[in-house]
Amino acid sequence: MAQTIDEIKPGYPLFEQPEYQDVFARKKADYEEAPTPEKVREVFEWTTTKEYEDLNFQRKALTVNPAKMCQPLGAVLCSLGFKNTLPYVHGSQGCVAYFRTYFNRHFKEPVACVSDSMTEDAAVFGGHKNMSDGLQNAYALYKPEIIAVSTTCMAEVIGDDLNAYTLNAKKDGFVPEELPLPFAHTPSFAGSHVTGWDGMFEGFCRYFTANSMDDKKAGSNGKINLVTGFDTYLGNYRVLKRMMDDMNVDYSLLGDPSEVLDTPADGEYHMYAGGTTQEEMKDAPNAIDTLLLQPHVLTKTQKYIKTNWDQPLTSVRVPIGLTATDELLMAISKLTGKPVGDALTKERGRLVDMMTDSHTWLHGKQFGLYGDPDFVMGLSRFLMELGAEPTVILCHNANKRWKKEMDKILSESPFGQNSEVFVGKDLWHFRSLMFTRKPDFMIGNSYGKFIQRDTLAKGKEFEVPLIRLGFPLFDRHHLHRQTTWGYEGAMQILTTLVNAVLEKLDEDTMGMGTTDYAFDLVR
């Protein structure tokens, strides 16, 4: 082959060379027994039709590429937000490998997470011994201050009791009595990654506050608690801190993985970095209030705080866009008596200026989007603030209550009148909708690139370009460090959207002497 040490090529264009193409052709002819190209094209064209969409939406027993991940993945992310905490998954090794590689590929960072590697014998006799030995080894090897325990399908199907197992591990001397072991049952066959985050956070609340509420009094520490829910944009944690500092508000960010998932390359491996301390969790019930920034996916946390912490639990929305950020800052100002200062006021003004500059390019543009419930709702609201139309909105892991609120939000805007909302549907459904509804762009995670490729395969005029926002983002670098919340996040989203529109316009008007009458230098 033509790969030499002096001229090393990546897969593209290496595999375009004649010798590789010959191998591919012989493999296809001798082994694949594939249909003819004509038949493949015929079936492909049929899958782009309204007839196929109708059949596709009748599916009940099969999910194709769900726009969600499983519960324990969310529990691991939640655990990483606490200081010196080791996520521990009670289940099979393969599951934990999946969680770690997902986060490795998204954050481009090593992610600490251990498993007690349940196998066939544990599936028959239970995983008690696995848990005892696993906790003992994890504590001895990695010396965490907290071990946060979640479960996979195997442990849940056989009914392993985490409360009993963790208590026994301490009673039998496998780990010290004083070692915190918060836990959550996170069956992979129910809910999703956002449910797992919520369950694990409730586990932390329960472990650190359930038996020590006698001396707690809401408002006594003068703080505001902020709870993010499952969020993988590290800039969002930083922008929350900056906004609170700008308002001179005393706060606790409960669950902050922004340091451990973004450690510097300084010659040392940092297994633990940053995060919420045990003391902050123990003190959380003394706060003025706790604000849940993704209220639709924090139902267990909401119920626990409302029942046990005696706080007002002021309702806010995920702070994506202008209005939602205004609402969050005004709620904090009302609760604390602290004004929204000049720095944030100027930042808001800059966002409004950017919206004014760009609205002519975004007005009337149609977007199809998918992702998690609060993210999709917040982004839809912001699109309508920009004069854009979220015409196809798909959320696999939302419920009827979310859809009812989503429909109401859309009905109240002139830019939501042509929108359709789909709950419990997957990306193969979304693919059909991109052919039959044909928005100008789609917004979602990296998996949307395959849908873009398929729309292009039908013809250039049918292509729906992908704008990457959400999780996971595997095929682009450093997007996880960006911000989507607050005025700063709105500026970054706006910049991404309007430049995608302008790039598409340049691409469409690049024909020399044909379409380049609109190939302008100034937009």
Side-chain angles (χ1 to χ4, degrees):
M1 301 299 180
Q3 185 84 305
T4 70
I5 195 170
D6 296 322
E7 190 178 359
I8 295 176
K9 298 181 175 69
Y12 178 85
L14 177 66
F15 294 149
E16 295 297 304
Q17 296 184 30
E19 54 266 47
Y20 285 98
Q21 291 297 309
D22 180 59
V23 169
F24 298 153
R26 284 188 285 109
K27 179 175 177 286
K28 188 170 187 177
D30 295 344
Y31 301 108
E32 291 186 5
E33 299 183 7
T36 64
E38 292 75 20
K39 184 63 177 178
V40 171
R41 187 69 194 182
E42 177 189 342
V43 173
F44 170 81
E45 291 290 343
W46 177 59
T47 67
T48 71
T49 63
K50 185 65 170 66
E51 176 192 15
Y52 182 83
E53 180 194 301
D54 293 339
L55 292 172
N56 191 11
F57 272 77
Q58 292 174 25
R59 271 191 293 125
K60 288 185 170 59
L62 175 69
T63 297
V64 182
N65 202 354
K68 65 175 184 177
M69 283 64 69
C70 65
Q71 279 205 57
L73 181 140
V76 169
L77 181 66
C78 178
S79 304
L80 291 169
F82 292 85
K83 185 177 181 180
N84 295 334
T85 297
L86 181 66
Y88 179 107
V89 182
H90 180 51
S92 66
Q93 178 63 35
C95 292
V96 177
Y98 150 57
F99 310 146
R100 293 184 67 188
T101 56
Y102 239 65
F103 288 136
N104 293 154
R105 288 182 287 167
H106 179 81
F107 294 109
K108 308 295 188 283
E109 293 280 342
V111 173
C113 180
V114 299
S115 165
D116 51 25
S117 301
M118 292 172 66
T119 53
E120 291 82 355
D121 58 340
V124 175
F125 301 109
H128 195 176
K129 186 177 186 305
N130 291 70
M131 167 99 37
S132 298
D133 292 343
L135 289 173
Q136 183 181 44
N137 290 336
Y139 181 71
L141 288 170
Y142 305 117
K143 299 175 176 52
E145 293 180 4
I146 301 172
I147 298 179
V149 183
S150 55
T151 55
T152 65
C153 295
M154 182 190 296
E156 290 297 323
V157 167
I158 64 179
D160 279 358
D161 184 346
L162 292 187
N163 185 53
Y165 286 9
T166 53
L167 289 174
N168 288 341
K170 292 183 176 182
K171 179 172 68 72
D172 297 334
F174 289 98
V175 291
E177 184 70 33
E178 65 274 12
L179 177 69
L181 296 175
F183 63 84
H185 286 274
T186 52
S188 302
F189 48 78
S192 69
H193 55 291
V194 297
T195 317
W197 198 103
D198 181 35
M200 191 74 248
F201 187 81
E202 185 215 23
F204 272 87
C205 293
R206 191 178 299 279
Y207 189 92
F208 287 107
T209 69
N211 297 319
S212 58
M213 290 298 299
D214 291 343
D215 62 341
K216 301 295 193 298
K217 182 179 179 182
S220 61
N221 69 9
K223 290 185 174 182
I224 293 291
N225 294 329
L226 300 174
V227 180
T228 62
F230 185 98
D231 191 85
T232 55
Y233 281 95
L234 302 181
N236 288 346
Y237 300 92
R238 292 162 184 159
V239 82
L240 287 173
K241 297 175 194 175
R242 180 176 62 77
M243 290 193 301
M244 296 304 96
D245 291 340
D246 286 348
M247 291 180 66
N248 198 27
V249 168
D250 201 2
Y251 67 95
S252 289
L253 181 53
L254 303 182
D256 176 12
S258 60
E259 292 300 316
V260 74
L261 293 174
D262 197 15
T263 56
D266 57 5
E268 294 185 21
Y269 170 54
H270 304 272
M271 177 173 282
Y272 309 114
T276 302
T277 65
Q278 297 181 42
E279 290 69 28
E280 284 181 288
M281 278 305 302
K282 293 173 183 176
D283 190 42
N286 290 321
I288 299 167
D289 201 359
T290 298
L291 303 183
L292 307 182
L293 302 184
Q294 295 193 68
H296 286 94
V297 300
L298 291 171
T299 53
K300 289 182 179 179
T301 299
Q302 182 182 52
K303 182 178 179 181
Y304 184 85
I305 292 174
K306 192 171 185 179
T307 304
N308 296 279
W309 287 9
D310 193 30
Q311 294 175 357
L313 211 61
T314 300
S315 176
V316 295
R317 307 191 221 210
V318 63
I320 295 177
L322 178 69
T323 304
T325 303
D326 288 349
E327 292 171 353
L328 174 64
L329 295 181
M330 292 307 295
I332 293 171
S333 179
K334 184 176 181 180
L335 287 166
T336 63
K338 300 289 181 69
V340 178
D342 290 344
L344 286 171
T345 301
K346 286 181 180 179
E347 189 175 354
R348 183 186 191 277
R350 293 186 183 107
L351 171 59
V352 173
D353 183 56
M354 289 176 66
M355 294 169 68
T356 305
D357 292 341
S358 300
H359 83 277
T360 52
W361 292 107
L362 291 168
H363 181 88
K365 286 289 184 291
Q366 296 184 345
F367 292 85
L369 56 151
Y370 63 90
D372 293 331
D374 289 283
F375 171 78
V376 166
M377 182 176 286
L379 187 56
S380 296
R381 282 164 51 91
F382 186 40
L383 285 170
M384 292 186 289
E385 288 178 345
L386 296 169
E389 301 178 17
T391 53
V392 177
I393 301 167
L394 184 142
C395 188
H396 193 138
N397 48 345
N399 55 29
K400 292 180 180 178
R401 181 175 64 85
W402 177 89
K403 185 179 185 304
K404 184 177 180 180
E405 184 174 343
M406 190 76 248
D407 287 336
K408 183 175 184 296
I409 291 169
L410 294 166
S411 69
E412 293 171 348
S413 170
F415 305 108
Q417 301 305 305
N418 298 317
S419 300
E420 297 176 277
V421 181
F422 301 89
V423 169
K425 303 303 180 185
D426 57 41
L427 291 187
W428 195 251
H429 294 112
F430 192 78
R431 176 187 181 275
S432 283
L433 295 167
M434 292 303 96
F435 283 113
T436 58
R437 306 305 192 270
K438 201 189 177 305
D440 297 300
F441 296 88
M442 70 178 94
I443 302 175
N445 61 29
S446 290
Y447 288 102
K449 71 186 297 180
F450 299 104
I451 302 175
Q452 177 179 352
R453 179 190 60 184
D454 282 7
T455 58
L456 176 60
K458 186 175 175 66
K460 184 63 179 176
E461 67 275 21
F462 295 96
E463 181 183 14
V464 182
L466 170 66
I467 298 173
R468 288 164 174 80
L469 288 170
F471 173 82
L473 298 173
F474 291 153
D475 63 330
R476 295 293 185 271
H477 283 213
H478 310 304
L479 297 185
H480 66 277
R481 290 188 171 90
Q482 292 187 343
T483 305
T484 59
W485 290 3
Y487 302 129
E488 180 183 332
M491 292 179 192
Q492 291 192 19
I493 292 175
L494 171 55
T495 301
T496 299
L497 296 177
V498 72
N499 284 326
V501 171
L502 295 176
E503 286 168 14
K504 181 68 165 59
L505 179 60
D506 278 349
E507 183 181 340
D508 290 343
T509 60
M510 203 176 287
M512 187 175 292
T514 54
T515 59
D516 55 356
Y517 55 83
F519 194 64
D520 297 325
L521 190 62
V522 178
R523 299 292 191 188

